[in-house]
Structure formats: structure tokens, C-alpha cells
Amino acid sequence: MSVLPDPGASRAVLIGTSCYDHLEQLPAVSNNLTTLADLLTGPLSLRMPAPHVTVIENPPDPATVMEPLRRAAAEATDTLLVYYAGHGLIDPQDALTLALPHTQPDRVETCLNYDWLRRILLGSRAERHVVILDCCYSGLALGRMSASSSLADQAAVEGSFLLAASAETRTALAPVGDTYTAFTGALLDTLRLGIPDGPPLLDLGAVYRHLRVTLEARGHPIPQARDRNSGARVALGRNHATLPAPPLRLGETAGAGRRLWPDPHAIRTVTGFFTALADARVTSGLTHQAVSQRSAGRISAGTVSTLLNRRTLPTTWATTAAYLSACGVPDDQITQWHAIWQRLRDEAPTADTASEIAQQTEEPQTKRSWQRSFSVFRRERRH
């Protein structure tokens, strides 16, 4: 079954090189990064908090990439997505390297070795890993995830999925004057517009199949992919070619078999809780006012808006239950939602604990301020 990652427990690192000292310029890469970051943080894709998406454009050296990547790998517990766009090169050992602004084709130390990125994935806490490579010869990386490779043999990369713009011997296409590179442009269109007659969720398997058909029809290089342990089931958003769903009529119920409701079991964070709540309304096809009408007066349209824009969990369950019921979420799933709400509340720091943390943080500064004031007072007294 396809699953949308919890945005609060996921991270994305987007790397791109558009300017080169010794290689052909790729100005479209800059647009790739900006638009993909906007999509990942927006309602058309994963709704990730902006701080969870790191964009690294024209990194001067490998260390500029590795440190943010290590940080994201340490923070992500659900899904870690890594994207690179730029020139891909082959080193003397026939391994893939990713070109940076100062890369010289005959000096391997000026590149970012793909295996370095692979090692960070091995150490990541994330359950699922997604690697998207939009570069020449990116198909070489597929071997790093083949059944005989060391990466695939490691339990730490369960659920990995690698999507590559071209096969090992083909060059990726960046048409002069186009806003995006060919591969990333097709990926962005898929996330924004969806797949006609496709599944409700844009899982990576469906995205890959759609990209193959689309790019082949355009005469562009055909992308490659490697799925490892159901990584293809990770979704990058809902299929907007099938939205909005026909809205529920007053008094109508919606069974789980007719609509793909957000999965409560995929929620791990408070951010993910509210993202899934908003997704439930989208799935229902109802407006805020329609949700209020279906609640039989239990919640107003304003209350719906307030609920979906909260950053902390409600202290009571009644309003959330009324909202989910009005959206048409089946009763058995509402029970699961309640259990998730209770778990998140149990895991959250209490008000007393939060107050103590704030006091510990503010106390040294307050004490220093008091000491400075007292010193001024003593100097004035002496005069």
C-alpha cells in the first residue's frame, strides 16, 4: 500500500550545480531546485516544513554538501529524500561522480563521489530513502542498489528507491532555453498535474512508469529506477489529476474502499498530524463550510480553519473527532486517529516541563541583566 511520509519526520536535501569553471553551463538547474523545493513544501506535494528542505546550489566543495546531508540523515526518521542535478562524470574506476562548480574532469578530487552519498544513507535513521539523480550517466548509481551490491545488503537502506535520469551510457538532456532540464521538468509536471487515470497517491513506482512513457514519447533519454524493499510505495503527494474528489452530500457516508483516506498509522509527529487532518478534507472534496454543515452544528467553518492551522495538539478530542466524522472518515479510522492523538500528547512535554526548559534558557541571561543593572546602580551610588 502506498504511503505519504510524515513531513515532520522527513527531510529533503536538494543539490544542484548550474555554474561551472570547466564544464558546460546548466542554467536550468537553478530553476529545478527552486521549484522542487516549493513543491515539496506546498500543498501539491508533501507539505514539508520549509526548514526540513535544504537547498544547496553551486556548492564550492564536497564538504559543503556532506555536512547538511549528514545533519538531514541524523534528523530524518521517516523519509530522507536526496536530489542532485548537474553534470555526472565517470572516474577512472568507472564509478559515478557528481560535478561541482570547480570540478575538472581529469581530477577526481574536485568531484563529489556518489559512494560518499551512499555511505551517509547507510548511517541514516530514516526508514525510507529516496535518491533522485538528474545527471549524465546517473544509471551507474543503480548498480549501488543492485541485489549484489553492499548497499542493498545493509538493513539500514530498507525501503530505498533510486530514480535516475538516464541509463549508464546515455547523457541526460538539458535543452537550451528550457526552464527546466528534461527529466526534472517532467517530474515537476507529474507532481503538479498528476497522472490521468493513475492511483490516488503518486507513489514512486507510478511516477517512474509515467516518466518513462512521457520522456520516451518526447524522444528524450528514458529514466531508470531501482526499488529496494517496497521503496516504490513511498508517495510524493496526491494524484491531482483525480482531485478534487466528488464532494460528499449531506447525510452521505464514505467507506474506506471508495476514498483513500490518510493513514493514521503513518503519523509520527504533530506536524504530520495536522498535515493528515488537512488531507482528510481534501480527500472528502468538501469546503470548510460544507464540513461545518455536515457536523450538524458541532463545529463552525471558522473552527475548521482554526483546527487546521494549529501548531499544537488540541487539549481535548471532541472537535477533532467531529471534524473527521464530518469529512466522512470511517469510524474505525477515527478510533485509530484518537489513539495517535493520545500517543502524541503523551510524548509531548508537559506545560511544567516546557516552563522549566524556558526558565533554564532564560535564567542565565536574566541573571546577567540583573548583575549589569546592579553594577550600574553601585557606580551611580558612588558618584
Side-chain angles (χ1 to χ4, degrees), residues 28 32 40-41 49 67 197 242 269 274 286 359 365 381:
N32 288 1
L40 291 176
T41 57
E67 287 308 312
D197 300 320
T242 64
T269 66
F274 287 111
L286 300 171
Q359 289 177 5
Q365 182 177 354
R381 291 281 294 177

Side-chain angles (χ1 to χ4, degrees), residues 133-148:
L133 300 177
D134 186 356
C135 61
C136 305
Y137 309 111
S138 55
L140 284 173
L142 297 173
R144 306 298 186 270
M145 286 192 177
S146 65
S148 60

